[in-house]
Amino acid sequence: MNYEEAMNFIQNTNKFGSVLGLDNIRELLERLGNPQDQLRVVHIAGTNGKGSTLAFLAGIFRESGYRAGRYVSPASFSYEERFRINEENISKKDLCFYMEKIKNVAEEMVKDGLSHPTMFEIETALSFLYFLDKKVDVVLLETGMGGRLDATNVVKKPIATVIASIGMDHMQFLGDTLEKIASEKAGIIKEGCPVISYDNTKEVNEVIKNKAKQMHAKVTFVNSAGIRVLQESLNGESFSYRSSDGRWYEKIEIPLLGRHQINNAALALETLNVIKNYYCISDFQTEDGMRKTIWRGRIEILEREPMVICDGAHNPDGAKSLLSFLQNNFTNQRLIYIMGVLSDKDYEQMVQILAPSADKIYTVAPDNPRALSSRELCNCISKYHQNVEERQRLAECLSEVRQKAEKDDVIIICGTLSFQNELINQ
């Protein structure tokens, strides 16, 4: 199987849709030798902040000399980005090797009268095979959607279960209240496995506490009162933190922008504290790893005059975090949005959050089969903001806006992670 054949195979699995449930992935992994049972896994679920939290942990492991495998979906810049070891993507050769192996097993399943594995199930299985063969020291495993019925939830005994920030997203699958969504996310909690959670709302925290109690699992929450912000700037953030067990982190510097990233960093520190018996990681390595964390497309500054910022915020909570960052850093400056969204997201609420701060808004359709048309988004925004125009393509729109902007203006590209790949390929 060459690369083109591998890509055709995985793209063709789109026709099988997204199926919540574990029977098929368990069968697939059983036929592949259950590689997931031979790995040390940190499993994370949540609405926002999953990727950032794992990026912080990956940075710490890397600076400590460990090999950290990371599986994330979707990818922002290339397909291979889904499967990474210490910031290095899987090679095309390895990708083809594992894809062919899984393809053969999938065809056997169909011959035996079983369902063909979905795209996400195939990718999940591939990550386990790849990380096992490459002998990683830890797998940082991110759920795709939900948790309880997510394909990644086949891991029986993770060394830690992490619950990131929980908000309203995927309501058609996970429920229409925060408590229902939290219950689905908390479905990754396993018998006796430690749980580390973001400090969510009281109602969400209760759901997590109750699930942890049911599974005889100790739960640790981020100590929000122990966070002391030292500096917030366009070059990064710094903070001190007293952990839930009283440990004091004097000054942690992170390059990721926005107050919410400090909370995600605290979640990573609490997770590290829980799994410390498995690894030898010094305070210096922790600080160094945090400072060198790489996670692109999350309030990322692309240019400075005029300021061009790209953010993958794609739900209401993400929009709130973006708005908070803009309000804190760009008082009395013109904000020009280039927005695009996916049709199955709560884009109208995102518009209601962001539109009042804009001087001008342009709409474009992301290069994604689930994209909302620029015309439909423009019509939606026009209910809340009068200065809105639609455009066809992101590259041409950004070029036009750059030419019109003053040097103190701020251009914000937001609404979906799908824009990341378009920007890097300009």
Side-chain angles (χ1 to χ4, degrees):
M1 177 181 281
N2 59 33
Y3 185 73
E4 183 179 357
E5 290 169 338
M7 289 297 95
N8 286 337
F9 166 67
I10 196 65
Q11 291 302 324
N12 285 337
T13 61
N14 266 326
K15 64 186 177 185
F16 302 113
S18 177
V19 180
L20 292 175
L22 302 178
D23 291 344
N24 227 37
I25 182 68
R26 283 176 176 149
E27 178 66 27
L28 175 61
L29 289 168
E30 175 73 27
R31 294 179 183 225
L32 291 168
N34 284 320
Q36 76 282 2
D37 293 340
Q38 304 170 63
L39 294 163
R40 280 184 181 172
V41 175
V42 174
H43 196 193
I44 187 168
T47 306
N48 293 303
K50 299 189 298 292
S52 298
T53 301
L54 293 190
F56 288 126
L57 287 171
I60 294 168
F61 279 114
R62 183 182 66 249
E63 294 305 311
S64 303
Y66 291 105
R67 289 166 57 77
R70 216 166 132 212
Y71 171 51
V72 297
S73 182
S76 297
F77 301 102
S78 72
Y79 183 81
E80 292 81 7
E81 185 189 357
R82 287 166 166 80
F83 320 98
R84 316 183 80 183
I85 299 175
N86 287 4
E87 302 306 327
E88 184 176 339
N89 296 348
I90 189 173
S91 69
K92 290 184 178 180
K93 179 180 177 181
D94 281 338
L95 181 70
C96 294
F97 172 79
Y98 293 110
M99 202 69 82
E100 183 171 17
K101 187 173 185 177
I102 293 171
K103 179 177 183 289
N104 292 336
V105 173
E107 289 173 350
E108 290 174 3
M109 289 173 62
V110 173
K111 285 180 183 177
D112 291 341
L114 301 171
S115 298
H116 193 289
T118 66
M119 174 186 282
F120 190 67
E121 289 168 341
I122 289 169
E123 292 170 348
T124 300
L126 193 154
S127 74
F128 292 140
L129 289 173
Y130 175 59
F131 294 145
L132 181 62
D133 284 352
K134 298 302 181 182
K135 297 180 172 59
V136 299
D137 298 296
V138 63
V139 173
L140 304 173
L141 183 65
E142 180 179 330
T143 60
M145 178 177 64
R148 181 175 63 91
L149 298 176
D150 188 83
T152 62
N153 205 27
V154 291
V155 176
K156 297 175 183 175
K157 195 82 174 175
I159 61 173
T161 296
V162 185
I163 309 293
S165 173
I166 292 179
M168 302 298 286
D169 201 1
H170 300 298
M171 285 90 79
Q172 66 272 40
F173 298 106
L174 306 180
D176 56 2
T177 68
L178 283 177
E179 290 87 344
K180 289 179 181 177
I181 293 173
S183 181
E184 290 296 318
K185 307 285 187 186
I188 69 169
I189 296 175
K190 302 297 191 305
E191 180 73 28
C193 296
V195 182
I196 308 95
S197 178
Y198 193 95
D199 187 16
N200 286 285
T201 65
K202 180 180 178 181
E203 293 76 14
V204 168
N205 288 350
E206 283 301 314
V207 171
I208 295 168
K209 285 179 186 176
N210 290 337
K211 181 63 176 180
K213 183 178 180 181
Q214 177 189 338
M215 302 302 292
H216 308 100
K218 180 182 177 182
V219 60
T220 301
F221 287 93
V222 166
N223 177 26
S224 295
I227 296 174
R228 184 159 61 93
V229 178
L230 303 177
Q231 181 180 355
E232 292 181 87
S233 75
L234 296 178
N235 297 314
E237 324 282 322
S238 67
F239 67 101
S240 295
Y241 180 60
R242 185 174 296 280
S243 68
S244 58
D245 65 354
R247 182 172 181 177
W248 181 250
Y249 296 89
E250 184 61 37
K251 184 180 180 181
I252 300 294
E253 298 176 350
I254 58 174
L256 306 190
L257 303 179
R259 176 65 173 77
H260 59 293
Q261 294 294 5
I262 292 177
N263 296 328
N264 294 330
L267 180 59
L269 290 173
E270 290 285 2
T271 302
L272 191 67
N273 204 26
V274 167
I275 64 175
K276 60 186 177 184
N277 291 337
Y278 292 95
Y279 305 97
C280 182
I281 298 175
S282 69
D283 290 346
F284 173 78
Q285 290 164 334
T286 298
E287 294 166 8
D288 215 28
M290 284 282 190
R291 188 171 58 254
K292 295 179 181 179
T293 293
I294 301 168
W295 192 223
R296 295 195 58 192
R298 278 69 179 176
I299 309 188
E300 181 180 4
I301 296 175
L302 304 179
E303 300 172 21
R304 297 243 172 199
E305 284 192 8
M307 184 75 68
V308 179
I309 296 171
C310 184
D311 185 46
H314 53 277
N315 54 44
D317 280 357
K320 289 175 185 176
S321 294
L322 172 60
L323 180 61
S324 175
F325 168 78
L326 296 171
Q327 291 174 332
N328 287 339
N329 289 279
F330 301 108
T331 307
N332 299 325
Q333 288 177 254
R334 289 202 323 150
L335 304 182
I336 304 167
Y337 288 96
I338 300 175
M339 291 186 69
V341 297
L342 302 186
S343 59
D344 55 357
K345 296 296 182 179
D346 188 1
Y347 57 85
E348 183 154 7
Q349 190 174 348
M350 291 170 59
V351 167
Q352 291 177 44
I353 292 166
L354 294 172
S357 64
D359 180 80
K360 175 95 178 187
I361 302 175
Y362 294 88
T363 64
V364 294
D367 185 14
N368 188 299
R370 292 154 51 205
L372 187 74
S373 73
S374 58
R375 170 60 60 87
E376 288 178 277
L377 181 57
C378 186
N379 290 340
C380 174
I381 292 173
S382 66
K383 295 187 289 185
Y384 306 97
H385 198 286
Q386 296 307 306
N387 199 2
V388 56
E389 295 181 24
E390 63 171 303
R391 294 292 185 268
Q392 295 305 308
R393 300 181 61 82
L394 175 60
E396 286 82 353
C397 181
L398 179 56
S399 178
E400 175 190 343
V401 174
R402 275 198 199 105
Q403 292 175 16
K404 292 179 179 178
E406 303 290 337
K407 71 173 185 176
D408 290 332
D409 290 346
V410 183
I411 302 167
I412 306 104
I413 304 164
C414 63
T416 176
L417 287 166
S418 299
F419 280 150
Q420 313 305 317
N421 192 48
E422 293 182 59
L423 286 168
I424 201 171
N425 290 323
Q426 276 195 66

